[in-house]
């Protein structure tokens, strides 16, 4: 049973982290490590009983992972084409296509290393696989914990509902993405009102250079036109980023109740990163996500993950450097041997 101690320790760390503050990416990493260590322990335990079977299982897992990479690459390429066709050729809309192409390049690099029997190429491919594995592990942790976060019930009460803006069509019209957030905000407001509260709904969004009015004003007009009480709406019309959305909205909340809590509404793909930002700026609130078009979701989720990687850039840069130096050292030491390529 000692084999499972690392997994158990990570699980305890995960539970403690969720109780202390569930708006942390480290909780997702601990959950991922719990699973990884448990699988490794199970394989080692199986190997001590049936050595041949454990090898077969490990090989099966490796083949499954390889097939999954190929399928994922094809899916991302197809999604990238759909994004360009429906949303245009902006850099943000090319994310899924770019990741799909990167996976194809990685596969081609591995095949070339095996076919050409080049030690240098094999070392480069091995280092690339380790880096890809690290990024894939982080992404899976982010993906599953972000989904779990939206199902947690902590902080699902509040004196305010804050709806984050996302841009306007034609400089004045609420687009479907933002309309989905506003409808979700209405539902959260209704849910809180049923509990005897009379929360204020804050619409948050400033005016972009190509917009005729602040996003928050268009958002408020959208709600009032559909019967929402105008006296329960506050406009935060200075923000241009998620951090500013939350910081300026918090200032409005503090003028009414310094100890207030809130429910923050954004799109489902953006919910977890918004929660991390809320924790960082000191907003006491839980984030809920509004539905997003299925074709838009993969690319948007990847963008959110990239933004988190950039946010923790020092740690990730250090790990990247260690992997690169490790690969260079092993190559210099003579790895992999040419007779094993």
């Amino acid at each position: 049973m000692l084999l499972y101690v690392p997994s158990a320790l990570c699980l305890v760390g995960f539970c403690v982290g969720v109780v202390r503050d569930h708006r942390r990416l480290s909780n997702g990493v601990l959950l991922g490590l719990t699973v990884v260590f448990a699988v490794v322990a199970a394989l080692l335990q199986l190997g001590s009983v049936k050595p041949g079977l454990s090898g077969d299982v490990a090989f099966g897992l490796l083949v499954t992972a390889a097939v999954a990479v190929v399928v994922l690459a094809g899916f991302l390429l197809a999604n990238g084409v759909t994004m360009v066709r429906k949303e245009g050729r902006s850099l943000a809309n090319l994310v899924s296509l770019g990741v799909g192409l990167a996976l194809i390049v990685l596969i081609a690099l591995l095949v070339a290393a095996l076919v050409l029997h080049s030690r240098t190429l094999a070392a480069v491919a091995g280092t690339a696989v380790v880096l890809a594995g690290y990024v894939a592990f982080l992404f899976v942790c982010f993906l599953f914990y972000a989904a779990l976060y939206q199902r947690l019930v902590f902080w699902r009460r509040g004196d305010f509902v804050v709806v984050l803006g996302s841009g306007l069509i034609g400089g004045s019209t609420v687009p479907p993405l933002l309309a989905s957030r506003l409808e979700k905000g209405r539902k959260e407001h209704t849910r809180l009102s049923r509990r005897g509260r009379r929360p204020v709904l804050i619409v948050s969004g400033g005016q972009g250079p190509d917009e005729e009015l602040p996003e928050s004003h268009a958002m408020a007009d959208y709600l009032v036109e559909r019967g929402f009480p105008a006296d329960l709406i506050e406009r935060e019309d200075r923000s241009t980023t998620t951090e500013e959305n939350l910081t300026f909205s918090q200032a409005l909340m503090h003028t009414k109740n310094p100890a207030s809590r809130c429910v923050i509404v954004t799109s489902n793909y953006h919910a977890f990163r918004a929660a991390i930002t809320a924790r960082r700026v000191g907003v006491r609130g839980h984030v809920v996500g509004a539905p997003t078009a299925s074709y838009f979701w993969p690319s948007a989720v990847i963008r959110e993950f990239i933004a988190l990687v950039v946010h923790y850039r020092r740690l990730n840069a250090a790990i990247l450097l260690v992997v690169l130096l490790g690969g260079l050292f092993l190559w210099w030491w003579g790895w992999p041997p040419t007779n094993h390529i």
Side-chain angles (χ1 to χ4, degrees):
M1 296 302 293
L2 290 177
L3 292 172
Y4 292 93
V5 169
S7 179
L9 290 175
C10 288
L11 181 60
V12 171
F14 165 73
C15 294
V16 171
V18 169
V19 172
R20 291 182 62 185
D21 195 329
H22 53 293
R23 302 171 298 176
R24 291 179 179 270
L25 181 59
S26 57
N27 295 336
V29 173
L30 285 171
L31 182 60
L33 289 174
T34 298
V35 175
V36 170
F37 285 138
V39 171
V40 171
L43 288 174
L44 291 174
Q45 186 177 36
L46 184 62
S48 65
V49 179
K50 297 181 179 180
L53 182 58
S54 65
D56 293 340
V57 172
F59 179 74
L61 291 175
L62 184 62
V63 171
T64 301
V67 172
V69 169
V70 175
V71 172
L72 179 61
F75 169 77
L76 290 175
L77 290 173
N79 178 255
V81 172
T82 301
M83 281 291 294
V84 170
R85 189 173 68 249
K86 292 190 175 184
E87 301 290 334
R89 294 185 180 181
S90 69
L91 183 61
N93 295 335
L94 294 173
V95 171
S96 58
L97 185 63
V99 174
L101 289 173
L103 290 177
I104 295 296
V105 170
L106 178 62
I107 295 169
L109 184 61
L110 287 171
V111 172
L114 292 173
V115 172
L116 298 177
H117 301 285
S118 167
R119 187 170 68 84
T120 299
L121 195 57
V124 172
T127 303
V129 167
V130 172
L131 288 175
Y134 168 70
V135 173
F137 171 75
L138 283 184
F139 181 72
V140 171
C141 292
F142 160 74
L143 193 64
F144 280 92
Y145 187 69
L148 176 62
Y149 169 82
Q150 294 192 61
R151 287 162 176 77
L152 297 175
V153 295
F154 299 104
W155 300 79
R156 292 295 296 274
R157 59 191 187 278
D159 309 292
F160 296 88
V161 175
V162 180
V163 182
L164 307 186
S166 66
L168 303 175
I169 294 178
S172 61
T173 304
V174 171
L177 182 73
L178 185 52
S180 179
R181 295 184 184 186
L182 290 167
E183 293 300 332
K184 182 69 173 179
R186 279 164 52 108
K187 290 179 181 178
E188 288 296 317
H189 189 277
T190 301
R191 181 183 64 81
L192 292 174
S193 299
R194 291 197 190 108
R195 298 186 177 184
R197 298 175 180 269
R198 189 172 169 79
V200 173
L201 192 150
I202 298 177
V203 286
S204 178
Q207 184 172 354
D210 59 343
E211 293 175 339
E212 300 174 8
L213 73 167
E215 293 172 21
S216 58
H217 292 205
M219 294 162 71
D221 292 343
Y222 175 96
L223 290 170
V224 171
E225 288 170 3
R226 286 157 181 78
F228 193 89
D231 62 314
L232 293 181
I233 299 176
E234 286 277 354
R235 295 172 174 84
E236 182 288 297
D237 57 8
R238 296 182 295 152
S239 58
T240 57
T241 65
T242 299
E243 185 167 339
E244 289 182 351
N245 283 141
L246 296 170
T247 300
F248 297 153
S249 295
Q250 182 185 40
L252 288 176
M253 290 186 282
H254 280 188
T255 59
K256 297 179 178 294
N257 181 4
S260 61
R261 294 177 176 177
C262 64
V263 175
I264 303 162
V265 180
T266 184
S267 300
N268 52 12
Y269 65 83
H270 183 237
F272 186 51
R273 186 163 71 90
I276 292 174
T277 304
R279 178 184 63 81
R280 189 172 71 251
V281 301
V283 175
R284 303 175 69 199
H286 184 86
V287 184
V288 297
T292 309
S294 58
Y295 76 87
F296 190 85
W297 186 85
S299 183
V301 168
I302 294 173
R303 293 201 307 270
E304 294 297 306
F305 173 70
I306 292 172
L308 282 178
V309 169
V310 172
H311 175 68
Y312 296 104
R313 54 187 172 276
R314 291 183 180 178
L315 174 61
N316 288 310
I319 293 174
L320 171 64
L321 183 61
V322 168
V323 172
L324 291 176
L325 290 176
L328 182 62
F329 175 78
L330 289 175
W331 172 82
W332 177 78
W333 194 259
W335 180 88
T338 54
N339 59 334
H340 286 171
I341 298 177

